[in-house]
Structure formats: C-alpha cells, structure tokens
Amino acid sequence: GQVKILDFGLAKLTGASVLTKSGSTMGTAAYMSPEQVAGGAAEAQSDVWSLGVVLYEMVSGRTPFAGDYAQAVMYGILNEAPVPLEKLEIDAPAALQEILTKCLAKRPEERYASAEELGRALAACLGPEESAAVLALLRPARFRRRWLVPAVVAAIAVLLAIFNLVAWRNGWGPFPAPERAIRLAVLPLANLSGDPEQEYLSDGLTQELINQLGRLHPATLSVIARTSIMRYKKSDKGVDQIGRELNVDYVLEGSAQREGSRVRVTAELIRVGDQAQLWADAFEREMAGILALQSDVAKKVAGALALKLLPAEQARLTNVQMVNPDSYDAYLKGRRFSQTLTPAGLDTAEKFFNLALAKDPNFALAHAGLAAVWICRQQMWITTPREAGPKAKAEALKALSLDDSLAFVHHTLSGVLSWTDWDWAGSVRERRRTLELDPGCVEALRGYSHVLMILRRPGEAMPPIERAVELDPFNAMTLSFHAETLYLMSRYDEAIAQARQAMAIQPDAPVAQGVILRSQHMMGRHDDAIAMARGIYAGRDPDVSVTLGRGYSSRDYAGAWRGAIEILIAKHGEEPGSAFGIAEKYMFLKDGASALGWLEKACADRDPNLPYINCDPLWAPLRQAPRFQALLRKMNLPADGTK
C-alpha cells in the first residue's frame, strides 16, 4: 500500500555537497535536461525532460542522445534532435512521437507544465478502458497538495505498459552498459634543456597541465594526480604497462624546454589500448604567455578526445592572463620546494615565493604559496600554531582579495579556517569552492573528507576520499588519509589494510602507522599494537621502544604503556605538540582523567590534531564528560555531537 518514487539520476540534498549543488552539471548525462547541462537550475520541466528520456529509451531501446563519452552526450542534448521513432522502425502510436517531441523540447516552456498534464497525454495513447483507469488516478486527490504522486504513478504505469508492448514487438536484448569517464595520465614532461636546474619548469608545467585538464569536466575526464604520475619520471616503462598500472585509457607525454624568454612544449596523446598516437603538436610562446600555452594544449587534448566543451569551459581556456615571467618562474620553484614537506624545503620555498612577490606584489598564487608554507609548518609542528596560524591567514586573505577565481587560493584559506580558526562552516564553504574550481584537487578532497568526519558526517565523508584515491592511487598520503577515514568509522580491518598499502609506498608514513596502532588497540590486539608501537618509536625515541618491549615481556599491556608515558613526559612533556600524543597514550591505559588534563594542554597549544577527538572512537568513553564537552565548545564543535 505504499508508493515509492525512485530517482532515475542523482538525488540532490540542497547544501549537502558541492557535487550535487544547484547549478552544477552532475548527474547521469543521458538524462540531463539542456538547462542542467548549461549549468542552470533544475525546475519541474527538467523532470518532464528526464521522464521523456526514460520513455524514449523504453520505446526504442536506446537513449535519445548517445555518445562514447558524457561530453558528447551533453553536446547532443544542447544541439541535436532525437531520431524520430519511425526512422528507428519502432512500431508505436503516432501520438507517442508527439508526446516525446514535446517532452524533449529544448526550451522548458515548450514542454508539459506538470506530471499530471504528461500523464493525461500518455493515457490518451492507450485504449478506452486503460485510458479511463489511468485518468481516474489523475483526478484530484482527497488530500491537498498530493496530486503529484498519483500523476507520477499513472505516468510510470503507462510507461511500463508501452514498454512491455513495444519490447515484445521488437524483441530487444539487454541494454548497453552505462558509459564511464575517460581516464587520462599526464606523464612528467621531459626536461630537454640538459640542465638539471630546469627540472622545476618541466615538473611545474606537468602539474599545471594536470590541473588544467582536470578542470575540463570531471564527469567526462578523470586525470591522475601529480604524485602518482611522478613515479614514472625518467622511467623506461612502456605506455601499455603504465596504462595498466594506472588503469587509464590515454596517456599524454611530451617535453618542455626554455630558451631565454621563450618556452617550448611538445605533447602527444597516445591511446593505451593499441598504443596509437592520436595527436601530436608543439607549442611555443614567451614565458609571459605560459598560461595561454597550457590552455592551448588542453584545448588540443579535448579536441583529440572528441570532448565538445561547454561555453563556460571554452571561456575558461580562452580568457587567460599574461604573467610576469620572473615572478611566475620563482613561483614554480617555490611550489617545487614546498612539496618536499621538509623544514629546509619549506624555508627555500618561502624565499622563492617572496622573490615572486618582489617581482609582482599582486601575484595571488605566490601569496597562497606562502600561506601553504605556514600551514605546513603548523601541521608539522615546525612552528607553533600561535605563530604560524596568523601568518598563514594573512597571506591567504591577501591572495583571496587579489583573485578569488583560483582553486589554490581557496584551498589554502580552507586550511587556515580548519586548523587555525576552527571555523568549520567557513572551512566547508572554502573546500566546496575549491572543488568547484578544481574538482580533481586531491588535497582538497582529502581535507574535505576529514573535516566532514570531524563534523560527524561520515556518510558525506567517504565519497571525496574515495575519489582522491581513484585520482591518486600511488600517493602514500592519500592512502593514509583513506585509512584514517576508515578507522574513524570503526572499520578497523579495512583501515589496517589500506594503511599497509600506504606503507608499501612509504614505509615510515606517520599517518598510516598511527592508524594501524590505534586500530590494533581498539580491536584488543595487544601483541600487534605493542610491536607496531615499538617499530614507530625505534626511529623517533629508542628509549620508549625499549621500555615498551621490556614492560610487555610479561604481557602487561597497561604497564608497558605506563612506562612509555613516563619517558615521554620526562623528555617531551613541556614541548609544544607533545600533549596530544601523551593524552592518547593515557587512553590506552583507560585513564580518562589524565588524558583530559593533557587534552586541555593540547587545546592551550591549539594543537591541529585536537579536533579529531570529536570523531575518533578512541575518545568515545569521555564524550559525555563535562571537561570533554567544554573542549568541543572551545573548538566550535557542538558538544552534543549533532551537526
């Protein structure tokens, strides 16, 4: 006695996710209305269009607009008319063709105004008795404002009746499998200068091409992230092997060379399946026009892949600015050194970003680069949050004031809002904006997932981190973040398995190591937890490692950790950044009172790890304690655990 309406495409929760927000071009491509494809809002007539697509598919065995890739489908929706049923030799009432034509009108106002109106038109296609029965369903319901349900039920009943009739007449087989996005890897551009000092340029251009191509249309084209492709730099592996390892359809490879003020890039697009060269070209410009050169390559790749770009994408590739050559050159060098994530590398990156700003004080990307340097120093406890946080925020806000159209700018600001200001609403807003501008930004996907976990929204947290792993499968940090998310969901076995994958790439990956240790503790696997902890501390503090081994020799788990805590407090208890780790170890002892005391010290230090207590199962026993609730309020997190 219940009616359930199932969505044919992508459900939308307003405000829930950037991937489904109004105005985006997400959804099942073949069922999207022209106004949705163009980036407009989906109104009632959009649903009429989608229902018309389903009806056309039921009658003909194919969707009205088809193509090898989603972008080609979207182009057809905007510019082409569906093939009439008679040309497909479909035995269906002539009136049905008129209904399809009206449902699939390009202009919304030319379609049926409501589901009820469409239902009446469909009923007229049936015999007198069937039509009367359907029309009875379409009469106004006794309960006000519920007319839509019987109307849709009637429409679907008619659709099914017509489908059964026409399918029987035409003897259809199974429908084709749904299309999937093209997967592309941009291999590291070869440095043809002969000068190792020029590697920053070829690496930087590789990164920018990945960013440029990844923004074209994520529903159509997935581009593997930089970290996962850099393992193939100067590799002798063939395209076929690389394609299998990365699970990609196409590979873009080429070279970069700078001579004086001019830059030359060569590129060729290769299909992995048969290793056929689909396209090759060379591009040369003054360094000031480097952004235009990157856009030229992106447009050529789009053309070779038969991606018909939407107007907004065309405009983005066409309206590029000139840059100050010396400033952009210094910026690329800064980005290269900042990716080392070492104290010395961050110091060098800061110098190059400052050099870029000396050449062009209004270079937004350089200000964002400085903000990222300070965020890294804060997160790694190279600099205390109280010093690093304000400096990161000042640079991020300056970058935003100069250019709010850059994904990197919004990404750095989101980091400040999360880990310095504990402004969670602002952080979510900026992370969503980052992903609007650059849907393939792996760092933003990772961070967005963890912020959602901290806000206790696990159902929303998993899709972005899974997308990050898909785009960056050989990045130890990405795999570690995925493992952490699984751990926070209490999926301990899966978390350990994913963390071990991260450690296969980077044996000392700290996030992955921590995930395994805490998962083993939560599962009561004390032998494994002590062995893991001893391995971790062997490189950090051998005294702790030895004490853990000695204390656990008689299987005294609590005693082993008690001895380790004494050493940690004696050696590091007053150092900024130590309090949170000590608090965690007290939880291994189930000593909540001592753990709370050290958490309060971590809060005074504004430790970036502290917000995770809102979602980490390790801290669940303390959740209702007044001191714990007070900590949540200080971090602007709801003390009752609600969103």
Side-chain angles (χ1 to χ4, degrees), residues 48 51-52 55 99 103 112-123 155:
V48 170
L51 193 57
L55 175 57
I99 292 172
C103 285
Y112 293 100
S114 67
E116 181 181 9
E117 184 179 344
L118 172 57
R120 291 182 179 279
L122 287 168

Side-chain angles (χ1 to χ4, degrees), residues 11-245:
K12 180 176 74 172
L13 297 175
T14 302
S17 168
V18 68
L19 299 181
T20 56
K21 79 178 201 65
S22 177
S24 67
T25 55
M26 291 295 291
T28 308
Y31 301 88
M32 294 170 69
S33 64
E35 56 269 27
Q36 286 176 285
V37 171
E43 303 296 346
Q45 279 69 36
S46 297
D47 294 331
V48 170
W49 169 285
S50 298
L51 193 57
V53 173
V54 174
L55 175 57
Y56 186 101
E57 186 176 4
M58 285 178 163
V59 173
S60 68
R62 50 168 282 181
T63 54
F65 305 99
D68 292 335
Y69 304 108
Q71 199 74 29
V73 176
M74 293 178 182
Y75 180 85
I77 289 170
L78 289 173
N79 300 287
E80 298 172 355
V83 179
L85 296 180
E86 60 182 14
K87 289 191 176 181
L88 298 175
E89 299 182 351
I90 301 298
D91 184 10
L96 184 59
Q97 176 63 66
E98 297 177 6
I99 292 172
L100 290 173
T101 299
K102 188 166 184 176
C103 285
L104 300 176
K106 303 293 186 191
R107 297 167 60 87
E109 61 269 25
E110 295 177 1
R111 300 174 206 146
Y112 293 100
S114 67
E116 181 181 9
E117 184 179 344
L118 172 57
R120 291 182 179 279
L122 287 168
C125 293
L126 303 176
E129 293 183 4
E130 293 86 351
S131 178
V134 172
L135 288 171
L137 283 173
L138 290 172
R139 294 193 185 103
R142 288 177 294 171
F143 302 99
R144 291 184 179 181
R145 303 181 67 179
R146 296 187 62 185
W147 60 269
L148 180 61
V149 172
V152 173
V153 170
I156 292 175
V158 175
L159 289 173
L160 291 173
I162 295 174
F163 171 70
N164 289 335
L165 174 64
V166 180
W168 176 77
R169 288 179 181 174
N170 292 280
W172 293 337
F175 287 167
E179 59 198 352
R180 72 175 183 89
I182 307 169
R183 287 177 59 84
L184 171 71
V186 181
L187 297 185
L189 297 178
N191 172 22
L192 296 186
S193 69
D195 180 5
E197 295 296 322
Q198 294 294 316
E199 292 289 335
Y200 78 91
L201 179 62
S202 56
D203 291 349
L205 290 178
T206 301
Q207 175 69 76
E208 294 304 315
L209 280 176
I210 291 171
N211 295 344
Q212 191 79 271
L213 292 166
R215 288 194 296 264
L216 288 183
H217 204 300
T220 302
L221 183 65
S222 291
V223 183
I224 302 299
R226 172 189 178 278
T227 306
S228 289
I229 63 95
M230 289 306 289
R231 68 203 307 258
Y232 299 106
K233 186 178 175 71
K234 299 180 181 178
S235 170
D236 58 0
K237 291 184 178 181
V239 167
D240 57 338
Q241 184 176 354
I242 294 173
R244 288 194 303 272
E245 292 179 1

Side-chain angles (χ1 to χ4, degrees), residues 8 75 123 189 197 205 231 257 266 270 289 312 315 338 370 388 390 394 405 416 444 449 500 527 534 540 543 576 637:
F8 292 114
Y75 180 85
L189 297 178
E197 295 296 322
L205 290 178
R231 68 203 307 258
Q257 185 175 10
T266 65
I270 301 171
S338 67
L370 281 176
S405 69
V416 171
S449 174
R500 293 204 184 281
D527 290 1
R534 292 195 65 191
R540 301 179 190 175
D543 290 341
L637 292 167

Side-chain angles (χ1 to χ4, degrees), residues 405-483:
S405 69
L406 300 173
F408 184 45
V409 169
H410 289 276
H411 175 58
T412 54
L413 180 58
S414 70
V416 171
L417 295 174
S418 297
W419 314 122
T420 298
D421 290 358
W422 293 338
D423 176 359
W424 306 108
S427 172
V428 168
R429 181 191 66 243
E430 291 303 317
R431 293 181 190 280
R432 287 178 173 175
R433 182 57 178 153
T434 301
L435 292 170
E436 286 177 350
L437 295 169
D438 185 2
C441 180
V442 169
E443 294 84 358
L445 289 165
R446 293 190 316 226
Y448 188 37
S449 174
H450 276 209
V451 166
L452 291 172
M453 284 302 304
I454 288 170
L455 294 174
R456 298 173 68 84
R457 291 154 62 175
E460 299 172 59
M462 190 53 76
I465 191 60
E466 288 177 339
R467 177 63 172 162
V469 172
E470 180 185 347
L471 294 175
D472 204 7
F474 297 120
N475 185 340
M477 183 63 76
T478 299
L479 298 180
S480 296
F481 268 56
H482 188 204

Side-chain angles (χ1 to χ4, degrees), residues 628-642:
F628 192 90
Q629 299 263 314
L631 286 170
L632 295 181
R633 285 191 290 269
K634 286 182 179 180
M635 292 184 289
N636 303 312
L637 292 167
D640 60 357
T642 58

